[in-house]
Amino acid sequence: MTQALRPFPHRHLLGLERLSAEDITQVLDLAESFLEISERPIKKVPTLRGRTVINLFLEASTRTRTSFEIAAKRLSADAVNISGSGSSTSKGETLLDTARNLAAMRPDVVVLRHHASGSAELVARHIDAAIINAGDGTHEHPTQGLLDASTIRHHKRRVAGLVVAIVGDIEHSRVARSNLYGLTKLGAEVRLCAPFTMLPHGIERAAGELREQVSVHHRLEAALEGADVVMMLRVQRERMGDGPARFPTNREYSRHFGLSPRALAYAKADAIVMHPGPINRGVELDPLVADGPRSVILEQVTRGVAIRMAVLYLLGVGSGGAEGGARSAPNLAV
Ligand code: NCD
C-alpha cells in the first residue's frame, strides 16, 4: 500500500532559504526510508523508471556529482552526466543556450553546478524541467545543507536547541549559507567562526528574523565552547583570485582556525565533527580529528545519496510544484 504524501510545495530546489522547516523535515524523513536501499545487494527500485535526469556539472565535483548519479540510478531514472571540460561551454556557448538545448531533449530534472551565484535560478526561469541547485558560486548548496541536517539529526536525535559551530572560509562557502538557513529554521543555534578576512560583515542578517540564533566569532575556542556539532569548511583558494592573501601561511591558519584534538576539547565531550569535503588535511582539519572517533564525515557522504534520492523523488515524479509532484510515498519494493 502506498501512503499519502504531503505534496512538496516547490517545483525546484534552488536553496534552503526558501524552504520551510516543514519542507526540510519532509525531505529528511523521506531520505530515511531511502537509506536502506543502498544497503541491499541489489541497490535499485523502479520508482523513477522512465524519468530522465541530466547532471550538468560545470564546476569541479567528486562527491556531489557521483552522489546525484548514484541516487538517480538507484531510483531507475536514466541519468546523463555532462562536465565542464567535455561540454560546449568550453566552446563559448552560454549557460542559457546549453540549458535550452538540453531542455529540448525533455529531461524531467536538471541538476546544475555552476561557478556563478544565481545560475540555478536563472536556468529555472527559462526551462521547463525541475532544477536542483548542486552548488551555485558562493550562494547555496541545498542538498549539502539537507544531508548535513540529516546527519546531525541522526546523531543527536534532534536539531532544535543544538549548538552548531561552522568554522572556516565562510565568505566563499555555499555550504555555510545553506546550513545557516537550514539549521536555524530547524531551531539550532549557529555560531559562525572565521578570520575577519573570511567572514562577510553582517552575515548573521542573512538568517532574517532567525538571526538571534546566529552569532559571529573570530576565536575558535569561543565558537567551540560547549558546541554539539563542529562543522569545518575548506579554505577555497580557487575563489580568492589573485587578490591579497587572507592569511599569512597555512601553518598560521591551522594554528588559529584548524581543528586539532586540543581545540576539539572545547566542544562537548560527545560533539560530532563534520566537513563537506574535499578536506585540506592539515590546514582546516588535523588528520587525527578527520579520521578520529568523533568524525562523521563519511556518514555525511552515505546520507547524501539518500537525501538526493528523496529530492529527485519529490521533484522528479510528475511535474512538481503544488499541483503536480509526488503525491504518494514511494513504493520501495524491487
Ligand atoms: C563543497 C562545495 O563544492 O561547495 N563540496 C561539496 O559539494 N561536498 C565544499 C567545498 O568545495 O569546499
Side-chain angles (χ1 to χ4, degrees):
M1 232 189 52
T2 45
Q3 273 173 301
L5 191 73
R6 164 188 183 260
F8 193 64
H10 303 274
R11 170 145 170 64
H12 309 286
L13 179 64
L14 304 176
L16 297 191
E17 186 177 8
R18 303 199 199 151
L19 262 52
S20 66
E22 200 181 1
D23 299 334
I24 295 172
T25 303
Q26 182 176 6
V27 180
L28 303 195
D29 289 347
L30 185 58
E32 291 295 330
S33 67
F34 282 127
L35 262 177
E36 166 268 329
I37 295 170
S38 297
E39 306 304 327
R40 295 181 187 177
I42 296 173
K43 301 171 178 59
K44 211 177 192 55
V45 290
T47 317
L48 286 185
R49 192 166 51 200
R51 314 281 169 172
T52 306
V53 176
I54 297 184
N55 293 318
L56 178 57
F57 276 66
L58 301 177
E59 206 188 51
S61 175
T62 302
R63 270 152 293 268
T64 309
R65 191 164 67 117
T66 314
S67 182
F68 269 110
E69 183 178 352
I70 287 180
K73 288 186 164 151
R74 291 198 176 154
L75 292 176
S76 298
D78 295 311
V80 179
N81 301 301
I82 304 169
S83 65
S85 56
S87 77
S88 288
T89 48
S90 64
K91 298 182 185 170
E93 186 172 56
T94 67
L95 172 63
L96 269 189
D97 279 336
T98 303
R100 284 195 183 108
N101 278 272
L102 294 175
M105 300 180 214
R106 307 284 181 260
D108 299 283
V109 180
V110 174
V111 182
L112 176 69
R113 170 166 287 195
H114 194 273
H115 61 82
S117 304
S119 49
E121 163 120 41
L122 177 75
V123 170
R125 275 203 240 119
H126 287 87
I127 73 169
D128 222 21
I131 305 297
I132 300 176
N133 179 7
D136 63 330
T138 60
H139 174 229
E140 279 227 44
H141 189 354
T143 55
Q144 180 73 42
L146 291 165
L147 75 89
D148 289 339
S150 167
T151 308
I152 294 171
R153 193 179 74 161
H154 172 70
H155 276 274
K156 300 289 168 195
R157 302 277 149 221
R158 67 196 162 102
V159 176
L162 295 178
V163 175
V164 182
I166 304 181
V167 182
D169 186 358
I170 309 269
E171 180 189 0
H172 298 110
S173 181
R174 50 201 180 201
V175 176
R177 272 170 197 70
S178 286
N179 270 294
L180 176 64
Y181 296 129
L183 295 175
T184 51
K185 281 171 207 256
L186 295 178
E189 177 193 330
V190 175
R191 296 179 185 164
L192 301 173
C193 177
F196 280 101
T197 50
M198 292 174 147
L199 207 132
H201 185 65
I203 174 88
E204 65 278 15
R205 286 201 291 272
E209 59 191 31
L210 300 176
R211 65 182 169 279
E212 312 251 289
Q213 290 164 230
V214 185
S215 58
V216 162
H217 301 258
H218 299 290
R219 273 179 44 85
L220 183 60
E221 292 77 6
L224 296 190
E225 187 74 55
D228 298 282
V229 177
V230 184
M231 187 183 293
M232 302 304 294
L233 301 171
R234 183 174 66 91
V235 175
Q236 301 196 23
R237 288 188 190 283
E238 76 277 17
R239 296 195 200 282
M240 293 181 191
D242 296 328
R246 309 295 165 110
F247 50 89
T249 60
N250 280 351
R251 228 178 112 209
E252 197 87 6
Y253 181 86
S254 88
R255 240 202 16 231
H256 294 284
F257 292 95
L259 190 63
S260 61
R262 194 187 57 79
L264 181 57
Y266 283 88
K268 283 203 181 133
D270 63 351
I272 55 170
V273 175
M274 306 175 71
H275 192 299
I279 300 171
N280 283 321
R281 279 179 179 262
V283 182
E284 70 267 3
L285 205 49
D286 186 317
L288 286 173
V289 178
D291 306 325
R294 319 265 285 274
S295 167
V296 298
I297 294 169
L298 294 177
E299 284 178 51
Q300 290 173 262
V301 179
T302 302
R303 282 183 171 265
V305 173
I307 284 288
R308 285 159 184 138
M309 288 167 84
V311 171
L312 286 171
Y313 178 72
L314 291 171
L315 301 181
V317 173
S319 53
E323 307 85 42
R327 291 201 156 265
S328 58
N331 180 357
L332 303 186
V334 184

